[in-house]
Amino acid sequence: MEMENQMESQKGRGISKQDLISERTGSLGCIGWFIVILSGIFTICLAPFTIWFCLKIVQEYERAVIFRLGRITDRKAKGPGIFFVLPCTDSFVKVDLRTVSFDIPPQEILTKDSVTVCVDGVVYFRVSDPIASVANVSNADFATRLLAQTTLRNVLGTKNLSELLSDREGIAHSMQTSLDQATDDWGIKVERVEIKDVKLPHQLQRAMAAEAEASREARAKVIAAEGEMNASRALKEASLVIAESPSGLQLRYLQTLSTIAAEKNSTIIFPLPMDIISHFMRK
């Protein structure tokens, strides 16, 4: 907390967090140096035994932050490989630099248009500054998880339901930017944020399904009406062509009979011109 307050007070003068950490790694004082020298003499005198307590190893994906009498010894973390510590005066904390992923628990959120939805997501982050992650926050992993939950609620609370369903990529990018800025002082780099699932109330799901079905039925009726209109125009053009050539109507009759005969029907209807029927009716 003291380091955070100093960092905030020094921002106006353009001092970075690395400069502030270097200030904190200053002189140990006379008593501190006396203890360190005494520990060094003790280590040299009992080297065959103390050497096993002085040599430490960290993996390729780890770094070690060394504290000497409670102060950070260097502005850069040690590792990977072998490094040396003084017994009795030095302690160290291992920091894992690998990318960590965690699920954001489902959050019930009230959207901008007053719709309650349940949203969950996943966050990928890693430690970019081991010293800041140890010195500036007590538990960087737990703090990032809590901050991700509140950021999810804050970001989605400013979105409409339609934006939430259609613009997931934009929402995820906005969350990543907010988290990355907030966790920068903790030495955390947020690499990726994704929205996993959006659960709607069952009544809202049924209402949206009914709306979509009605919209599809309306489009189907419009398409059918357009088809009838196009068919009527084609029939009108065909009637005009047949009216210009009376023999064309007879050919059409014959084509219809041929089509009926191909279907193996037992009943065949012969269309007759009305002038022939009227001639027999006069008799």
Side-chain angles (χ1 to χ4, degrees):
M1 181 64 70
E2 180 182 355
M3 180 175 287
E4 291 180 359
N5 294 334
Q6 290 184 10
M7 289 175 64
E8 292 178 358
S9 63
Q10 299 294 339
K11 283 183 180 179
R13 290 183 287 174
I15 299 179
S16 63
K17 62 180 181 181
Q18 294 294 343
D19 296 333
L20 183 59
I21 291 175
S22 63
E23 291 179 2
R24 296 293 298 272
T25 59
S27 177
L28 297 176
C30 296
I31 298 177
W33 281 113
F34 174 76
I35 296 175
V36 171
I37 293 173
L38 184 64
S39 177
I41 296 174
F42 174 78
T43 302
I44 294 173
C45 294
L46 301 177
F49 302 99
T50 58
I51 189 65
W52 307 108
F53 301 95
C54 295
L55 295 180
K56 303 296 180 179
I57 300 175
V58 291
Q59 303 296 331
E60 179 69 28
Y61 53 84
E62 293 178 332
R63 297 294 184 271
V65 180
I66 301 176
F67 293 89
R68 178 165 295 164
L69 297 178
R71 290 179 175 271
I72 298 176
T73 59
D74 195 356
R75 61 186 300 176
K76 184 178 180 181
K78 301 295 184 180
I82 301 176
F83 62 95
F84 181 84
V85 295
L86 290 175
C88 303
T89 60
D90 291 358
S91 62
F92 67 95
V93 178
K94 288 184 179 180
V95 180
D96 196 329
L97 301 184
R98 291 176 292 182
T99 299
V100 179
S101 63
F102 66 90
D103 292 330
I104 302 176
Q107 305 289 316
E108 288 190 358
I109 299 169
L110 185 65
T111 61
K112 189 176 180 179
D113 50 355
S114 302
V115 178
T116 302
V117 295
C118 188
V119 183
D120 59 354
V122 60
V123 177
Y124 299 86
F125 73 94
R126 61 178 175 84
V127 176
S128 60
D129 188 349
I131 295 179
S133 67
V134 173
N136 293 351
V137 61
S138 61
N139 191 333
D141 180 87
F142 184 68
T144 304
R145 293 172 186 267
L146 292 181
L147 184 61
Q149 297 180 25
T150 56
T151 303
L152 178 65
R153 300 176 68 90
N154 293 336
V155 172
L156 296 185
T158 60
K159 304 293 183 180
N160 295 325
L161 179 61
S162 58
E163 296 176 349
L164 177 59
L165 297 177
S166 61
D167 191 21
R168 292 191 181 188
E169 183 177 355
I171 294 174
H173 180 70
S174 177
M175 283 188 58
Q176 177 184 352
T177 303
S178 299
L179 280 174
D180 199 20
Q181 293 177 353
T183 58
D184 182 62
D185 292 337
W186 302 343
I188 299 296
K189 172 64 178 177
V190 179
E191 296 181 338
R192 190 176 183 88
V193 178
E194 292 292 340
I195 303 297
K196 290 177 59 178
D197 190 18
V198 179
K199 298 180 180 179
L200 303 176
H202 294 292
Q203 295 181 352
L204 182 59
Q205 292 181 13
R206 289 195 295 267
M208 294 178 66
E211 181 182 0
E213 184 178 0
S215 178
R216 288 193 297 268
E217 290 180 355
R219 287 197 299 268
K221 291 180 179 180
V222 171
I223 293 173
E226 291 178 353
E228 291 291 340
M229 182 176 63
N230 295 332
S232 62
R233 290 177 180 174
L235 289 175
K236 178 183 178 182
E237 294 176 359
S239 63
L240 294 176
V241 173
I242 293 175
E244 295 177 357
S245 177
S247 59
L249 182 60
Q250 299 297 327
L251 294 175
R252 182 59 181 166
Y253 289 160
L254 294 176
Q255 184 181 3
T256 303
L257 293 175
S258 176
T259 303
I260 295 174
E263 296 177 358
K264 298 181 180 180
N265 293 327
S266 59
T267 303
I268 298 177
I269 300 174
F270 289 94
L272 296 175
M274 293 298 296
D275 53 354
I276 298 176
I277 298 176
S278 62
H279 177 71
F280 286 102
M281 292 179 61
R282 293 195 198 97
K283 294 182 178 180

